[in-house]
Amino acid sequence: MSHKKNKPFGLIVLSLGVCLALPASAASSVTLTHVHGLSYSADGKQIFVPSHHGIAVYSGGKWSKAAGPEHDYMGFSSTKQFFYSSGHPAPDSGLVNPFGLIKSGDGGRTWQKLGLEGEADFHLLATSYGTNAVYVFTHAPNSRMSKPGIYSTVNDGFSWKRAEGKGLEGSPLNLAVHPSNNRIVAAGTKTGLFLSTDGGDNFKRLASGEQILAAFFDLDGKQLWFSSYGSKPALTRLDWSGGKKTVIDLPPLTQDAVAYIAQNPANRNEYAVATFERNVYLTKDQGKTWTQIANQGQTL
């Protein structure tokens, strides 16, 4: 199942994938048909790229497919301990569509239902790496969410809190949650980057003038990375408390931009980015140099 999100430069957000209940396969058989997330394992040895034909795993310079059900995961996000996701069940799985909120503690092999099954498909979902708080944006009400907006849960969906969203201009295109203080949340919109320190009730603008395509808090919580596209794609690192901005040199991207950003928990100078056109790059020096590991969905 493919899901699209319009971008001003004609890009397509690609659908989050499925993880196949098969042994690890050769890299030549791993294709990133769609991408809807990017995460490192807690030990930093694996990168997970949820794709339409399985959660692709990059480890030791090689690609494979992770074991697990062939679901269409949407809004995939990880914490130190868990994967969280929404989305749609694999054909013939017998599960209700859509999932609502689900959680895995074993790398996607098995999933636990956390509510809103058959009601909600959260394409926009973000987690706090160290606290397991989950933020979502819903375009439509459901049995737990009385109106559209940003909601958060700190107890795996047992209860949800709606954020007032004051000061936020436009609907969020992405969310990022601080790794240790789950009251701090960033939201990117068509008009800029906004930050809240009170759980999304009140936002202040951090950057303006361009549509924000991706946002990510460093695991130490001090730096906020964000992707944008004006006349060309851009990636910026912001000291959100002090205001200092650093522009990161990107590899050559043609009618493309960064859609997802992740940091290696074990080697925090290493980052991965995935683009809307299914290119994946690694940097081990905070963006000074890049190595491409997938080219338009073809794994390298």
Side-chain angles (χ1 to χ4, degrees), residues 169-188:
E169 297 180 13
S171 296
L173 302 175
N174 45 76
L175 297 170
V177 190
H178 192 280
S180 58
N181 183 344
N182 57 38
R183 298 283 290 165
I184 299 175
V185 57

Side-chain angles (χ1 to χ4, degrees), residues 7-8 124 150 167-176 185-196 203-216 224-230 236 238 245:
K7 298 299 175 187
L124 184 49
I150 298 172
L168 186 64
E169 297 180 13
S171 296
L173 302 175
N174 45 76
L175 297 170
V185 57
T189 74
K190 290 183 177 181
T191 64
L193 180 68
F194 298 83
L195 181 80
S196 172
F203 283 89
K204 65 177 182 180
R205 182 186 292 272
L206 293 182
S208 60
E210 295 176 341
Q211 178 172 254
I212 303 302
L213 304 173
F216 173 79
L224 179 57
W225 295 62
F226 63 95
S227 160
S228 59
Y229 192 101
T236 304
L238 169 67
K245 293 181 181 179

Side-chain angles (χ1 to χ4, degrees), residues 7-193:
K7 298 299 175 187
F9 45 94
L11 297 180
I12 296 174
V13 174
L14 300 160
S15 170
L16 174 69
V18 293
C19 40
L20 303 179
L22 296 171
S25 55
S28 60
S29 67
V30 179
T31 301
L32 308 179
T33 309
H34 297 119
V35 175
H36 244 172
L38 182 68
S39 299
Y40 277 88
S41 58
D43 63 8
K45 294 181 179 179
Q46 296 175 302
I47 298 173
F48 300 103
V49 185
S51 178
H52 192 65
H53 295 291
I55 292 182
V57 182
Y58 183 80
S59 180
K62 297 179 180 180
W63 288 91
S64 62
K65 291 179 180 178
E70 299 181 37
H71 300 318
D72 177 17
Y73 301 105
M74 304 297 298
F76 180 98
S77 187
S78 71
T79 68
K80 185 175 182 179
Q81 297 172 290
F82 303 110
F83 291 164
Y84 289 87
S85 191
S86 192
H88 311 278
D92 304 320
S93 68
L95 299 179
V96 175
N97 182 29
F99 285 138
L101 182 65
I102 56 174
K103 165 185 169 182
S104 175
D106 57 8
R109 289 178 179 270
T110 61
W111 292 86
Q112 176 186 355
K113 301 174 185 178
L114 300 181
L116 294 172
E117 185 182 15
E119 295 187 65
D121 175 19
F122 300 116
H123 290 200
L124 184 49
L125 183 157
T127 55
S128 171
Y129 186 78
T131 73
N132 297 322
V134 178
Y135 279 73
V136 301
F137 178 76
T138 182
H139 292 276
N142 55 58
S143 64
R144 306 296 300 278
M145 301 170 182
S146 61
K147 61 180 73 173
I150 298 172
Y151 289 79
S152 62
T153 178
V154 295
N155 50 21
D156 278 355
F158 181 78
S159 62
W160 291 93
K161 178 184 181 298
R162 186 180 188 274
E164 294 184 19
K166 295 177 181 178
L168 186 64
E169 297 180 13
S171 296
L173 302 175
N174 45 76
L175 297 170
V177 190
H178 192 280
S180 58
N181 183 344
N182 57 38
R183 298 283 290 165
I184 299 175
V185 57
T189 74
K190 290 183 177 181
T191 64
L193 180 68

